Amino acid sequence: MPAAGSEAEEGGGEGAGPGAGSVGEQPGPCSPKLCGYLQKLSGKGPLRGFRSRWFVFDPRRCYLYYFKGPQEALPLGHLDIASACFSYHQPEAGAAAGDEGAAFEVHSPGGAVAVLKAATRQDMTYWLQELQQKRWEYCNNLDAAKRDSRTSPTPSDFSKGLVAKDNPDLSILSQNASAERARTILAVETSPTELVGEQAASQPAPVQPSAINFSLKQWSTEIKNSMSSLRKGNNENRKSIFYTSEEWELLDPTPKDLEDSMALEEKRKNFAEGSKGLTGSAFPFDFGRIPQKPRRPLKDMIGSSKNRNSSDSSPTEWCSGNGNKLVSELQLKYQSQQEELEKLKKDLLSQKELVRLLQQTVRSSQYDKYFASRLCEGVPKDKLELLHQKDDQILGLNNQLEKLNLEKDSLQQEVKNLKCKVGELNERLGMLMETIQAKDEVIMKLSHQLSECEDNTSSQSGAVNSPTATCINKELQELDRLKDNLQGYKTQNKFLNKEILELSALRRNAEVREREWQAKYTSLEAKLCQIESKYLILLQEMKTPVCSEEQSPAREVIAQLLEDALKAETSEQPEQAFFKPYPVSEYDIYGFQTVPEDDEEEKLVAKSRALDLRSLSLSENREISTGVKWENYLASTMNREMMRCVELKNLIRSGIPHEHRSKIWKWCVNLHVKKFKDSTVPGYFQTLLQNALEKQNPASKQIELDLLRTLPNNKHYSSPTSEGIQKLRNVLLAFSWRNPDIGYCQGLNRLVAIALLYLEQEDAFWCLVTIVEVFMPRDYYTKTLLGSQVDQRVFKDLMSEKLPRLHAHFEQYKVDYTLITFNWFLVVFVDSVVSDILFKIWDSFLYEGPKVIFRFALALFKYKEEEILKLQDSMSIFKYLRYFTRTILDARKLTGIAFGDLNPFPLRQIRNRRTYHLEKVRLELTELEAIREDFLRERETCVEKRDLISDDEEDS
């Protein structure tokens, strides 16, 4: 395995890559990428030692790739973090003096161990914490994801197009609450140095003191260095810079302790945040970080005070205990008085509210009495009604005014309370800072006294007591070393406890998953036995049929099998749906309808086709997955932009994975229209769309008519309220304004509809520009369809050359197959092949251009060549040609024919034949135009033909 192999073995790793690029972005844009320099132990024998490597974590597969440097495209190997565990050893006394780094181990399945070393213990702790977190997230997502063969257990990283809206968010299983709390408490707070993160790519690789130098003169020295790299850190370089603010002794804390610790941590964080925002403090440093400051050993403080002036006065006794007790009593009294004041204020507000309600009641009763008396006096009713309305308005305004006054009073009270709290916090902060200053002064005075006493003792005892002083110094040094060891072991204890906790939780999840798969397997096996039994009965009945008017058992079996096959998915029986082998959904991943609603026979055929596609996809997964190759290639583009190359072309020909298609399509489109986009101003698409919407557009009427006829079998375009309809309208209107020579042609709507499934509006607009203005010849989509007619003649020539038997067969029965293939070329096979094959054709088409259409058109005929040759009349041939492309399901076989069996396929040949046929078609069109003009001239001169009007003239 590459994790534990030598450097020579590492060089044969898979093709993945390190850094960040326009296409190789990480799935989580909000989380920083985990990458940086580490030293890896590799080599054999005397050459074994640590070598600096650039490491990059890939969250899509939970792999940690390593490279020679940040700019390398191919990795030396990878470590599987999802199934790994981590450990490190606390360095002991006697380690090599040059070993300043911190080594840790990654244990992989099979016993392989990779030894990695960070530049500092801070970096080591950061790497371990992050790798633990990545493993935890990946494995939990793996347990919770509702997967099929097309999706990855990690969240999909595409974010464009209509298909992206259908990507279901992965539901994370609710984890054990106590385990989550324990993981939070056991985490060690740390931050990376400049050798971790994307900014580390610009830093030079760290110097390796123990790296092997291949000089023969220093062979023995190099062996010693290589062996010393395996030793642990020495006494003078063993200080751990990670300190915890509480004592950690329990290996298995109780839930109550965990809750108390969490509450304490929250209080500290809140207080730290509050103290950072205070402006009344006179201290410039951040008080919230004081508890996290590393403690200085006592030896350092004593040593630093030896050079100070020894004439300071002795410290006075500082009565901090009584002062603290008095302050706490005063604070308790103040808080109790504040609570009583708040209660009194609440009572006062309630009494005011009661008085206000009584006043309103009195007013309303007075008004009613007044109006009743006026009514008796004979006042007109309309005036009384008007007075009632005015009085109601007055009452409402008074009520509103009173409410606003109350709100104003409450807000003013809140402001006062906040000001009081701010003042209290400022006073508290000042008191704390004064306390700290006083304690620092006391410590410094005591240090001065201690140093004076040591100086006096040493001067009096002289050389007689020198062994005693040396002994004291040694004891102090040993005390510091033991304190440092204790802190390091506490940190290691916390890390190992967290590692054990996570591995236990992951193991339980794996056991649950195994039990579920076992239950599913048992259910599927039982169902398979039932189906086999029914089919055996059916075969026996078919072998010896019984012809009678009564319903035979075979009919019942067939009816039952058909009913089971066409039964729709329901949520009423979730346990049966869970154990169902492969429920065919109503729509595929692209939004196309898989099973028609009306025709039951067509419904059965469609479901059979969907199951065949599923079977093909499962058989393909047995070989090396195309998705793995794509993951490796995209990882290699993290530190560089994608470029055209043979490797990328072969990958695209094999098909772009569903989750990466959006990014690759966008890159292909930008590759072809870069010169157009560079010459436009920012907001070009929005400007075109705005002009098309505001000004009169002759193409808008036809566009509106064709919107719902574009892809009625796709849910994104099935109704006027579908999201895709508005986007489709915008792109077509903008293009009609950009290219008025074409405006709009039937067929453009389908091209845009397919592009919008994976691209946003503006990218789909440039995709249409790529197809119409870059790929296709001029006049391909104009009113005469000149370019389309030329391509059909070129295709006939290629048919006679590549498939001569089939071409002769069509000629023999006078079948004009261009009536079928014309639409293939115009809309690039949309609605002509199954969706999986369609998008694989589009993958290659957007990268290589229009030559792909000729390749796949010939491949479709070659795929079914033998079946077509068996047909012996023109009607059956033409009928077969209308639907045969929908029966082709094996995309891998079709791709192999298109890009393998039909070679060589030079583009220059297609261009030459296009030029040749273009002249011929233009000459024919010119002759037709001349005949038309002669006819019109003759009609004008001949009285008998004046009444003849063509359809075009009648429409105009």
Side-chain angles (χ1 to χ4, degrees):
M1 183 174 178
S6 64
E7 200 69 37
E9 295 171 316
E10 293 167 2
E14 295 174 335
S22 59
V23 177
E25 298 170 357
Q26 291 294 342
C30 297
S31 58
K33 184 169 60 178
L34 181 59
C35 57
Y37 283 107
L38 289 174
Q39 295 183 30
K40 185 177 184 297
L41 183 64
S42 57
K44 294 182 179 179
L47 302 181
R48 188 168 178 79
F50 284 97
R51 292 176 173 83
S52 180
R53 296 288 177 253
W54 175 259
F55 283 77
V56 177
F57 179 78
D58 182 6
R60 294 171 293 214
R61 300 169 64 189
C62 204
Y63 279 2
L64 185 65
Y65 291 102
Y66 51 94
F67 308 79
K68 286 185 178 180
Q71 304 303 326
E72 295 293 326
L74 297 177
L76 301 175
H78 69 271
L79 306 177
D80 187 0
I81 302 301
S83 55
C85 59
F86 315 105
S87 65
Y88 73 93
H89 299 285
Q90 181 67 19
E92 299 290 347
D99 189 12
E100 299 179 357
F104 60 96
E105 297 174 352
V106 180
H107 299 259
S108 301
V113 179
V115 181
L116 307 178
K117 186 170 70 172
T120 63
R121 296 190 65 79
Q122 182 179 0
D123 283 342
M124 182 198 73
T125 306
Y126 180 79
W127 273 100
L128 288 172
Q129 294 273 24
E130 288 297 312
L131 290 176
Q132 276 186 332
Q133 183 65 24
K134 301 296 184 184
R135 180 188 61 189
W136 181 259
E137 293 173 357
Y138 181 87
C139 293
N140 287 335
N141 289 344
L142 183 65
D143 292 335
K146 298 177 181 179
R147 302 176 57 198
D148 73 325
S149 63
R150 296 189 181 93
T151 58
S152 170
T154 53
S156 186
D157 61 342
F158 69 89
S159 58
K160 307 292 182 184
L162 298 171
V163 174
K165 308 297 188 298
D166 296 333
N167 187 41
D169 296 332
L170 300 178
S171 57
I172 307 299
L173 292 176
S174 58
Q175 300 298 325
N176 189 303
S178 62
E180 289 292 342
R181 287 198 301 270
R183 287 184 69 253
T184 305
I185 292 175
L186 292 171
V188 179
E189 295 183 3
T190 182
S191 58
T193 64
E194 66 275 3
L195 293 178
V196 182
E198 295 183 20
Q199 73 280 358
S202 59
Q203 300 287 336
V207 180
Q208 307 163 50
S210 60
I212 299 298
N213 188 339
F214 293 96
S215 173
L216 295 176
K217 295 180 181 180
Q218 300 177 352
W219 186 257
S220 60
T221 306
E222 301 306 332
I223 293 177
K224 291 180 182 178
N225 289 336
S226 62
M227 297 301 293
S228 66
S229 65
L230 300 177
R231 298 176 188 169
K232 299 171 183 178
N234 66 345
N235 185 27
E236 297 179 2
N237 292 284
R238 296 179 50 261
K239 286 188 179 179
S240 173
I241 62 173
F242 300 102
Y243 291 90
T244 55
S245 55
E246 73 273 1
E247 297 297 327
W248 186 266
E249 297 295 341
L250 295 177
L251 292 176
D252 193 9
T254 61
K256 185 177 180 181
D257 294 335
L258 294 177
E259 293 177 359
D260 296 341
S261 300
M262 287 292 291
L264 183 60
E265 290 294 330
E266 290 295 329
K267 289 180 180 179
R268 288 178 180 171
K269 291 179 180 178
N270 294 335
F271 182 70
E273 292 173 358
S275 62
K276 288 179 184 178
L278 295 177
T279 58
S281 175
F283 301 100
F285 55 85
D286 188 355
F287 182 71
R289 296 183 180 175
I290 289 177
Q292 302 174 5
K293 183 178 180 180
R295 295 189 292 242
R296 293 178 60 193
L298 183 61
K299 173 175 70 78
D300 295 344
M301 292 191 297
I302 295 173
S304 63
S305 64
K306 286 183 178 180
N307 296 326
R308 292 175 179 260
N309 189 3
S310 61
S311 61
D312 293 342
S313 60
S314 61
T316 57
E317 185 176 357
W318 189 60
C319 301
S320 60
N322 295 333
N324 291 335
K325 189 181 296 184
L326 181 61
V327 170
S328 61
E329 291 177 358
L330 291 174
Q331 287 179 348
L332 290 174
K333 289 181 180 180
Y334 177 73
Q335 289 177 359
S336 62
Q337 291 177 357
Q338 286 286 343
E339 291 175 358
E340 292 179 1
L341 181 62
E342 291 296 330
K343 289 180 181 179
L344 292 174
K345 287 181 179 179
K346 289 180 181 179
D347 294 339
L348 179 61
L349 289 175
S350 60
Q351 294 295 331
K352 286 184 178 180
E353 182 67 18
L354 180 62
V355 170
R356 185 180 64 81
L357 293 175
L358 291 174
Q359 288 177 350
Q360 288 182 357
T361 306
V362 170
R363 287 198 200 101
S364 60
S365 61
Q366 289 177 353
Y367 280 125
D368 291 341
K369 181 178 180 181
Y370 170 76
F371 284 123
S373 62
R374 299 297 296 174
L375 183 63
C376 296
E377 295 176 3
V379 178
K381 291 184 179 180
D382 54 348
K383 291 185 179 180
L384 287 175
E385 290 178 358
L386 181 61
L387 289 173
H388 275 295
Q389 292 176 1
K390 295 297 182 181
D391 289 335
D392 292 340
Q393 290 178 1
I394 291 170
L395 289 174
L397 291 173
N398 287 333
N399 293 335
Q400 188 174 1
L401 180 61
E402 290 177 358
K403 289 180 181 179
L404 291 174
N405 288 331
L406 290 174
E407 290 181 2
K408 177 184 174 183
D409 294 339
S410 64
L411 291 174
Q412 288 178 348
Q413 187 64 33
E414 287 182 6
V415 170
K416 290 180 181 178
N417 293 337
L418 290 175
K419 287 182 179 179
C420 292
K421 288 182 180 179
V422 170
E424 291 173 5
L425 291 174
N426 283 331
E427 292 176 0
R428 185 178 178 185
L429 179 61
M431 292 172 60
L432 290 173
M433 296 310 299
E434 290 175 0
T435 303
I436 291 171
Q437 284 183 347
K439 288 183 178 180
D440 288 341
E441 291 175 359
V442 171
I443 290 171
M444 294 310 299
K445 289 179 181 180
L446 290 173
S447 300
H448 287 310
Q449 279 190 349
L450 181 60
S451 62
E452 289 175 1
C453 291
E454 288 179 353
D455 293 340
N456 294 332
T457 305
S458 61
S459 62
Q460 291 175 3
S461 59
V464 179
N465 294 330
S466 58
T468 307
T470 305
C471 183
I472 292 174
N473 289 333
K474 287 183 179 180
E475 289 179 356
L476 290 174
Q477 291 178 1
E478 182 66 16
L479 179 63
D480 292 336
R481 187 182 67 80
L482 292 175
K483 286 182 178 179
D484 217 14
N485 267 348
L486 177 62
Q487 192 61 48
Y489 281 123
K490 285 182 179 179
T491 304
Q492 184 185 23
N493 185 24
K494 291 180 70 174
F495 169 77
L496 293 177
N497 283 338
K498 184 181 177 185
E499 182 72 7
I500 293 170
L501 176 71
E502 288 191 2
L503 290 175
S504 301
L506 295 177
R507 181 183 176 184
R508 287 194 299 271
N509 293 340
E511 290 174 353
V512 171
R513 189 165 64 248
E514 183 180 1
R515 287 195 297 269
E516 290 175 353
W517 282 111
Q518 185 66 31
K520 185 174 183 179
Y521 168 76
T522 305
S523 174
L524 292 179
E525 189 175 13
K527 188 167 186 178
L528 177 63
C529 293
Q530 294 175 4
I531 294 175
E532 286 182 352
S533 173
K534 292 178 182 178
Y535 275 111
L536 288 175
I537 295 172
L538 179 61
L539 290 175
Q540 180 66 25
E541 184 67 23
M542 297 298 293
K543 182 179 179 181
T544 57
V546 178
C547 298
S548 63
E549 295 181 358
E550 297 180 1
Q551 191 172 9
S552 63
R555 293 177 179 270
E556 296 178 1
V557 172
I558 293 173
Q560 184 62 40
L561 288 173
L562 289 175
E563 183 180 352
D564 293 343
L566 295 175
K567 190 178 295 183
E569 296 180 61
T570 59
S571 58
E572 299 174 0
Q573 299 174 334
E575 65 279 356
Q576 294 184 6
F578 178 79
F579 295 126
K580 200 167 183 180
Y582 181 68
V584 177
S585 58
E586 185 180 0
Y587 297 96
D588 61 13
I589 57 175
Y590 313 105
F592 288 99
Q593 195 173 25
T594 55
V595 181
E597 298 177 355
D598 303 328
D599 194 347
E600 205 158 297
E601 184 176 350
E602 284 293 327
K603 192 181 295 186
L604 189 64
V605 172
K607 185 159 187 179
S608 173
R609 186 185 303 131
L611 292 172
D612 287 339
L613 286 171
R614 174 66 173 173
S615 175
L616 286 170
S617 66
L618 290 175
S619 63
E620 289 177 359
N621 286 340
R622 295 176 185 173
E623 303 177 12
I624 297 176
S625 173
T626 304
V628 173
K629 298 178 182 177
W630 269 102
E631 295 288 351
N632 291 338
Y633 178 79
L634 290 178
S636 71
T637 61
M638 288 195 221
N639 262 4
R640 58 185 176 87
E641 292 187 359
M642 286 179 58
M643 299 176 62
R644 298 185 73 125
C645 59
V646 177
E647 180 188 5
L648 179 59
K649 182 170 74 172
N650 291 333
L651 279 175
I652 290 179
R653 284 181 173 183
S654 65
I656 304 172
H658 175 66
E659 60 270 19
H660 303 309
R661 185 168 279 133
S662 175
K663 293 186 294 186
I664 305 300
W665 277 21
K666 183 178 179 180
W667 177 82
C668 291
V669 169
N670 291 334
L671 184 70
H672 296 296
V673 296
K674 188 176 185 302
K675 59 180 181 180
F676 292 113
K677 296 181 75 173
D678 290 344
S679 61
T680 59
V681 296
Y684 175 70
F685 170 74
Q686 296 297 334
T687 304
L688 291 176
L689 179 59
Q690 195 67 25
N691 291 334
L693 292 174
E694 292 177 354
K695 301 177 183 179
Q696 187 175 3
N697 189 350
S700 59
K701 182 178 179 181
Q702 188 61 42
I703 289 173
E704 290 295 330
L705 291 175
D706 286 348
L707 286 177
L708 292 177
R709 295 184 294 191
T710 301
L711 292 177
N713 60 336
N714 190 292
K715 64 181 180 181
H716 301 295
Y717 306 99
S718 58
S719 67
T721 58
S722 299
E723 184 181 1
I725 292 294
Q726 182 59 42
K727 293 185 176 182
L728 180 62
R729 179 188 293 112
N730 293 342
V731 175
L732 291 174
L733 287 174
F735 181 80
S736 67
W737 198 262
R738 169 186 167 85
N739 195 330
D741 292 340
I742 296 176
Y744 171 73
C745 172
Q746 288 184 343
L748 298 182
N749 55 334
R750 295 189 176 188
L751 298 176
V752 175
I754 294 297
L756 282 172
L757 291 178
Y758 283 100
L759 300 173
E760 292 298 337
Q761 289 185 81
E762 186 170 354
D763 296 325
F765 166 78
W766 287 112
C767 180
L768 184 60
V769 172
T770 301
I771 296 172
V772 176
E773 301 182 14
V774 179
F775 286 168
M776 298 305 190
R778 195 175 179 182
D779 297 330
Y780 211 89
Y781 294 98
T782 55
K783 186 177 292 186
T784 60
L785 299 175
L786 178 63
S788 302
Q789 297 182 52
V790 170
D791 271 1
Q792 294 310 303
R793 301 196 181 193
V794 174
F795 182 65
K796 273 191 173 183
D797 292 346
L798 293 174
M799 278 283 290
S800 63
E801 178 185 338
K802 302 289 184 181
L803 303 173
R805 286 198 306 154
L806 194 59
H807 179 73
H809 188 68
F810 286 143
E811 291 294 327
Q812 178 184 353
Y813 292 100
K814 295 181 173 53
V815 174
D816 187 6
Y817 52 86
T818 59
L819 297 175
I820 302 295
T821 60
F822 185 85
N823 195 54
W824 296 0
F825 283 73
L826 197 66
V827 297
V828 196
F829 298 99
V830 177
D831 266 352
S832 297
V833 294
V834 294
S835 55
D836 282 348
I837 293 178
L838 171 67
F839 285 95
K840 283 183 169 59
I841 294 174
W842 270 67
D843 293 340
S844 300
F845 171 68
L846 290 179
Y847 181 75
E848 300 184 47
K851 184 174 70 170
V852 172
I853 305 179
F854 289 97
R855 280 186 178 273
F856 276 97
L858 291 169
L860 288 171
F861 280 113
K862 186 171 179 60
Y863 194 105
K864 294 289 185 178
E865 182 178 13
E866 298 301 327
E867 286 82 351
I868 297 174
L869 290 175
K870 293 176 183 177
L871 303 175
Q872 299 298 323
D873 63 273
S874 59
M875 288 299 295
S876 59
I877 293 173
F878 195 78
K879 183 178 179 181
Y880 183 77
L881 293 180
R882 293 182 63 182
Y883 72 87
F884 84 100
T885 55
R886 306 291 299 182
T887 64
I888 297 175
L889 306 177
D890 194 344
R892 175 174 293 186
K893 180 180 177 182
L894 183 67
T895 303
I897 295 172
F899 295 111
D901 298 350
L902 297 176
N903 285 334
F905 210 92
L907 181 60
R908 181 174 57 186
Q909 180 185 10
I910 295 177
R911 288 174 178 169
N912 294 337
R913 293 190 177 183
R914 273 178 170 173
T915 304
Y916 170 73
H917 286 293
L918 180 61
E919 296 299 328
K920 292 184 64 176
V921 174
R922 279 180 176 170
L923 183 61
E924 292 175 4
L925 290 177
T926 304
E927 292 176 356
L928 288 175
E929 186 64 24
I931 293 173
R932 181 174 179 275
E933 291 178 358
D934 292 341
F935 175 76
L936 292 176
R937 194 181 306 109
E938 185 180 354
R939 192 183 67 180
E940 291 297 329
T941 56
C942 182
V943 180
E944 296 177 357
K945 295 183 179 181
R946 281 181 187 174
D947 297 334
L948 298 177
I949 302 175
S950 66
D951 294 338
D952 294 339
E953 292 173 339
E954 187 174 3
D955 292 340
S956 59

